[in-house]
Amino acid sequence: MACVLARVGAQELVSDIVAGRGVVGPYTLTWNRIVERSEIVLLETRWLVRDADYWIDYTAGQIRFAQPLRTGQTARVSYRTQPGVSQRNTNPDLAIETELGRLGSAAFSLRGRLTGDPNRPTTDLGLQATWREQGREGEALYLFRNPQGDDAPSLLQLRSQWRTETGWQGGFRLSRVDRDFGDARAYGLTSGQQSAEANLLYQPDRNLRTRLQWSLLEPLQPNQAAQQRWSAGLDYKLEQIQLGLERQIAELSNQPAQVTDRATVQLQPSEVMRVQLEQQTQAQGERAVQQTQIRTQLGQAVELRHRTIDDSQQGRTEESGVGMRFGTQTVQGSVGLEQRWREDSQQRAAQFGVQAQLDPRLRVGGEFEAIENAGQMRGYQIQAQPVDGMSLTLSQREYDGLRGLNLRSQQLQWDWRLGGGLSLSGQVAQHPLHQGAPQPLQTEQYQLRWRGGAWDVEAGYLEQNQIGQLLTERRYTLSLRRRLDAATLLGLSYQQSEWERDAFLREAAIKLGLMRQLSGFYLSLEAQMLLPRADIQHQQRPNYSGSLRLGVQF
């Protein structure tokens, strides 16, 4: 995994190279607590779509793909980190893979993984067999966790995929993970269960596609029933119309079978108009739910939607909405109106947003959201450049009962390039937004940076107060980086954290690192000393650690 940093205002842009291990993930990134929705994920030259091609955990700094990332395949994940908030993932994650031999199109390897606490690491070790022929490929994986005897927990996975020239495609996967194996998410599996899945696809031409899928999930625990699912579908596509039919049958544990039928029609009578109709019926035992939805898009400016839900137990519900976008070269805005009926009650909601470029140095924006009998939210944002080299961003939101909140969220950010390689950035915030909701924090953050010749010096200060609690956290950072030559970078950093409440606690860390570029490869050496805070123990014992990394720099 390679990391490249570039300065962007008060945030840092990080680019990680994720090397495939033949699983969907999760793959651990260099940083955690990263800025939400700031990522760009590229698989080779294809731009992946969030929540469709991949899922990312911003807090843990992990990414999981919809399809397994094959061995030898790489994905580039670029994202932003927030100084004072984001932290490096310190747990090592070292993949072990050594080829033992080949027989025709099959390869046999020693496969494993080393992760966790450096003092008590978790070790997976076993054998892997892979084969690949024209139109066919497969894998067999058998691993032990912390192998020390015959009773070591194991993981077994078999999978295969094939394709013919007549339009047929198929595949299956069988897996079993012992309950004592522990976390198996790195292999796209869950411990304590065995599962099987198979799929069959027939696509004779570009217009017609039929599919059949089956899956079985069986927990390896007593008194736990298996779950089985069937899915069959047909898609037909012409120039201006698309048709889709699908049936799903789910046999869940201790519940009646759930049957879902879905039919969709997409029409595009002109280049600026698109209509989508969907009819869905779901039956489970004595309960039946029928849903009808129609959505119309007129270019990029107007969207109309209406949905009707008939529930045999909860009655009838209708929802209607309209969304509009408007704008000129300097002003852009959007309006949304929604209304919901349910028996004798109704609820209305409205959203409005606008942004205007009043001057090349000044941009303003506002937003408003109101829900009948639930509250409202008002907000604005100002982005300005009062002088050359300086940028300011001021934002504020006021919540009056909306989402159960009654408070004001405020945030001021600045970035000032003073000249001579010197820059000053910072942030002052109260109730800063995190994952769309304000947090009970009051934050001050300052960062001073100087770049001159081969030197790069940075000093930072962060203070956080839990609103309503007598807890203050302060963090001091100092880092020095010097480029010894065109291919060698030397770095030294110091970080001290302090907590003040009933007692005063302190933690400090010193890191020394060296990175060397070697004609397409890079070598990184790092040594660290940590003085932990003394919560209970009276004697603080420093922790020493080191790391060596060798990778490819793209």
Side-chain angles (χ1 to χ4, degrees), residues 131 133-138 159-173 198-203 212:
W131 62 94
E133 299 176 347
Q134 182 67 28
R136 293 188 300 175
E137 65 177 41
R159 67 175 184 88
S160 177
Q161 292 179 331
W162 53 270
R163 173 184 298 180
T164 67
E165 297 180 355
T166 57
W168 289 94
Q169 298 181 37
F172 83 92
R173 187 179 74 164
N199 62 84
L200 184 64
L201 175 69
Y202 178 58
Q203 189 171 4
L212 178 64

Side-chain angles (χ1 to χ4, degrees), residues 257-288:
Q258 184 183 88
V259 181
T260 304
D261 293 317
R262 181 184 293 110
T264 59
V265 179
Q266 296 184 20
L267 303 171
Q268 191 168 358
S270 65
E271 294 183 356
V272 298
M273 184 176 182
R274 179 179 299 175
V275 182
Q276 178 177 339
L277 300 94
E278 180 177 330
Q279 173 76 29
Q280 177 177 302
T281 302
Q282 186 178 88
Q284 185 175 17
E286 298 180 355
R287 184 178 182 181

Side-chain angles (χ1 to χ4, degrees), residues 219 277 311 330 334 399:
L277 300 94
D311 193 321
T330 58
S334 63
Y399 298 85

Side-chain angles (χ1 to χ4, degrees), residues 191-226:
S191 62
Q193 67 181 28
Q194 60 184 7
S195 62
E197 59 184 46
N199 62 84
L200 184 64
L201 175 69
Y202 178 58
Q203 189 171 4
D205 53 52
R206 55 182 297 182
N207 297 326
L208 177 64
R209 186 179 69 166
T210 61
R211 61 187 184 277
L212 178 64
Q213 296 175 324
W214 169 82
S215 64
L216 174 66
L217 177 62
E218 185 177 359
L220 298 177
Q221 299 178 4
N223 303 323
Q224 292 285 338

